[in-house]
Amino acid sequence: RRILQEFGRSATPAQNLVVLVSELGSAPAIARALDRMAHPKVVGTLAGDDTVLVIARNAADARALARELTADLG
């Protein structure tokens, strides 16, 4: 949560994906933190410089995950 509060900016669901926008250069650290959490709704992540693509099992999980992540954003 700490890394999301500090560097996360927005989380938007799109089908079974969540597009998580962050500060420049922080996306790999956020993706690693999400992967290490072993969150039951997260299948995996893919990180760029300022965006993390979070893959959920289905659209309902992606919407719930986006709400959860948005609550943790700074």
Side-chain angles (χ1 to χ4, degrees):
R1 287 187 172 161
R2 185 179 59 83
I3 196 164
L4 280 174
Q5 290 173 343
E6 190 169 342
F7 299 109
R9 295 299 165 250
S10 67
T12 306
Q15 297 296 331
N16 71 312
L17 308 172
V18 177
V19 179
L20 179 58
V21 177
S22 66
E23 289 293 320
L24 187 62
S26 64
I30 292 172
R32 181 172 169 88
L34 288 170
D35 288 339
R36 294 185 92 193
M37 281 177 52
H39 193 291
K41 289 183 174 71
V42 176
V43 174
T45 61
L46 180 64
D49 286 333
D50 64 353
T51 305
V52 179
L53 183 63
V54 184
I55 304 159
R57 297 191 186 284
N58 54 52
D61 281 353
R63 287 189 302 272
L65 186 58
R67 284 191 300 273
E68 186 178 324
L69 294 172
T70 297
D72 290 334
L73 296 176

